Amino acid sequence: MQKRTVGNHSYTDFIFIGFPGFSEYKPYIYIPFFLMFLVAVVGNSVIIFVIKTQTSLHSPMYFLIFAIAIMDLSLPIIFVPNMFLNLVLNLNGISLDGCLVQMFFVHLISSFESTILLVMALDRYVAICNPLRYNDYMNSSTFYKLSVAFLIRNGLLVSLIIILASTLSFCFSNLIEHFYCDHMALVGLACGETTKNSIMGLLTIFFIPGIDLLCICYSYINIFCAVLKSASGKARQKAVHTCGTHLIVILVSYLLALCSYLAYRIRNSMSPDVHILISLLYLLFPCCFNPIIYGVRTKEIREHILKMVKGKKIDPENIKVASITR
C-alpha cells in the first residue's frame, strides 16, 4: 500500500494516510468528525431554509448570512464523505486529476469565507456610519458588482495555484498525509523545484484573507469610533450587539486560519497527527460553529427557527428586520 521512491516516474495516483499515528483507531476517529459534519449540514440547511422562505429576512444582512451558510454547507460536502470512506472502509485512493479538482473547490470555497466576512463588515460600516445612504450603497447592484469582482479575484488566484501544481512531477512519494488534497501537502511530494508554488501560495494568502482582514479591521475601527461618539447609549448598545456576532465569527475563522498557517511553518517540529487535526478543524469547525452562532445570536433567525420547530405560523409583521441581539 505505501510506496516511496525517488526517480523519473511521476505518480498519477495518490493515497491518503490521515492520522498515521492512530491507524488502529480509525473506525472510531470518524465519530467526532461525523457529528461535526452532521451539525454543519443540518445547521446550515436550516439557516438557508429560514432565510429563503421568510420574506421578512430578505435584506442585505441576511443575504450575506445566507451566502456564508451556502459556503459552510458546500465545503464539508466536498471532502468529508471521502474522509469517512478512508476512516471506515479504508478507501483512501485518489487520482491526480481528482486531487486537483478537489483542491480547487476546497480552496475556492474556503477563500470566500473571509470575502463574505469582508462584505458583512462593509455592510455594518455603511449601516452604522452612514445610515441615511445605506439603501444607496448596499443594494442588489452593489452586491452583483462585488460578487463578480471577488469571484474573479479568488477564482484567478486559486486557479493559478492549481495550474502550477499540475505542472509538477510527483516522483518522491504518492502518500498524502491528510484526508483531502491540500495544496502544500501535495506540493511537498514533488521532486522538482517548488519555489514558484510556495510564492504563489503566499501571494494568495496575502491578496485574499490578508487584504480582506485589513479591510475588515479598517471597517470595524471606523464603526467603533462612530459608536463611541454616539450620544445615545441605546444606539451604542445596539451597534455593539449588531457587530458582536460578526466579530465572533471573524475571530474564530482567522484564529483557526492562523493556526493552520503556523502549523505548516513548523510542521517539522510537529507530529503529522496534530498538523492534520489543525487543518481539519480550520475547514470543518467554522462550518458547524457559524450556523449555531447566527441561529442563537440573531434574534429574527432565532425566532423563526423556534416558531418553525413549534409548528406555529410566522407573522412577519411581528419581527423587525436587521436587529441582532445577544
Side-chain angles (χ1 to χ4, degrees):
M1 174 181 168
Q2 295 188 0
K3 302 177 182 179
R4 287 187 178 274
T5 184
V6 177
N8 295 324
H9 175 70
S10 180
Y11 288 107
T12 57
D13 294 289
F14 297 89
I15 299 170
F16 294 120
I17 52 170
F19 295 130
F22 298 90
S23 56
E24 65 273 22
Y25 300 109
K26 275 189 174 182
Y28 307 101
I29 292 177
Y30 88 98
I31 296 176
F33 292 104
F34 174 76
L35 293 176
M36 293 178 69
F37 174 74
L38 194 62
V39 170
V41 171
V42 174
N44 287 295
S45 297
V46 170
I47 296 293
I48 292 169
F49 175 80
V50 169
I51 295 177
K52 184 177 180 179
T53 57
Q54 303 303 320
T55 56
S56 61
L57 300 181
H58 292 179
S59 65
M61 185 181 70
Y62 295 107
F63 168 78
L64 293 171
I65 295 176
F66 179 88
I68 205 168
I70 291 287
M71 297 297 107
D72 289 341
L73 177 63
S74 303
L75 185 57
I77 290 176
I78 291 175
F79 75 93
V80 174
N82 286 339
M83 176 182 170
F84 293 156
L85 292 176
N86 183 338
L87 290 171
V88 180
L89 302 178
N90 204 31
L91 300 175
N92 51 10
I94 191 170
S95 66
L96 176 59
D97 291 339
C99 185
L100 293 173
V101 170
Q102 186 189 62
M103 185 193 304
F104 173 79
F105 283 107
V106 167
H107 288 291
L108 179 66
I109 293 175
S110 61
S111 72
F112 276 103
E113 185 87 11
S114 68
T115 300
I116 296 174
L117 293 176
L118 166 60
V119 180
M120 284 182 169
L122 295 176
D123 176 77
R124 291 300 87 199
Y125 169 76
V126 176
I128 294 174
C129 298
N130 199 356
L132 298 179
R133 300 292 304 277
Y134 180 80
N135 292 328
D136 295 332
Y137 292 133
M138 306 307 292
N139 49 49
S140 57
S141 176
T142 300
F143 281 113
Y144 175 77
K145 293 175 183 177
L146 289 175
S147 298
V148 171
F150 288 133
L151 182 61
I152 293 174
R153 181 197 67 169
N154 295 15
L156 179 62
L157 290 171
V158 173
S159 296
L160 289 174
I161 286 178
I162 305 304
I163 292 171
L164 289 176
S166 67
T167 63
L168 297 174
S169 295
F170 303 98
C171 55
F172 174 69
S173 173
N174 70 336
L175 303 181
I176 301 177
E177 291 186 340
H178 224 307
F179 286 106
Y180 68 92
C181 284
D182 180 73
H183 173 243
M184 292 309 299
L186 183 65
V187 169
L189 304 179
C191 53
E193 178 61 44
T194 60
T195 302
K196 58 184 179 182
N197 301 84
S198 299
I199 293 175
M200 192 65 230
L202 290 174
L203 288 175
T204 302
I205 291 174
F206 174 76
F207 281 110
I208 298 181
I211 294 295
D212 290 350
L213 181 61
L214 290 175
C215 295
I216 288 171
C217 291
Y218 174 81
S219 297
Y220 278 105
I221 288 173
N222 282 277
I223 287 172
F224 285 115
C225 287
V227 168
L228 292 175
K229 294 177 182 178
S230 174
S232 172
K234 185 177 181 180
R236 185 183 298 113
Q237 184 180 14
K238 180 180 178 181
V240 172
H241 288 174
T242 302
C243 297
T245 301
H246 303 309
L247 288 174
I248 292 172
V249 173
I250 291 168
L251 179 62
V252 170
S253 298
Y254 274 94
L255 183 60
L256 289 172
L258 178 62
C259 291
S260 180
Y261 174 78
L262 292 177
Y264 271 112
R265 299 301 102 187
I266 60 173
R267 58 182 175 178
N268 292 331
S269 59
M270 178 183 295
S271 74
D273 298 314
V274 174
H275 175 254
I276 292 169
L277 178 62
I278 292 174
S279 297
L280 287 175
L281 290 178
Y282 160 62
L283 290 182
L284 195 53
F285 183 77
C287 296
C288 59
F289 175 78
N290 291 347
I292 294 175
I293 198 70
Y294 282 122
V296 172
R297 288 182 57 90
T298 309
K299 179 181 178 182
E300 289 73 26
I301 294 178
R302 183 177 69 246
E303 291 185 357
H304 279 297
I305 292 174
L306 290 176
K307 290 184 178 182
M308 183 177 66
V309 171
K310 295 177 181 178
K312 295 181 179 180
K313 185 177 179 180
I314 299 171
D315 183 6
E317 297 299 325
N318 293 333
I319 298 181
K320 296 179 181 179
V321 177
S323 172
I324 296 181
T325 61
R326 292 183 186 272

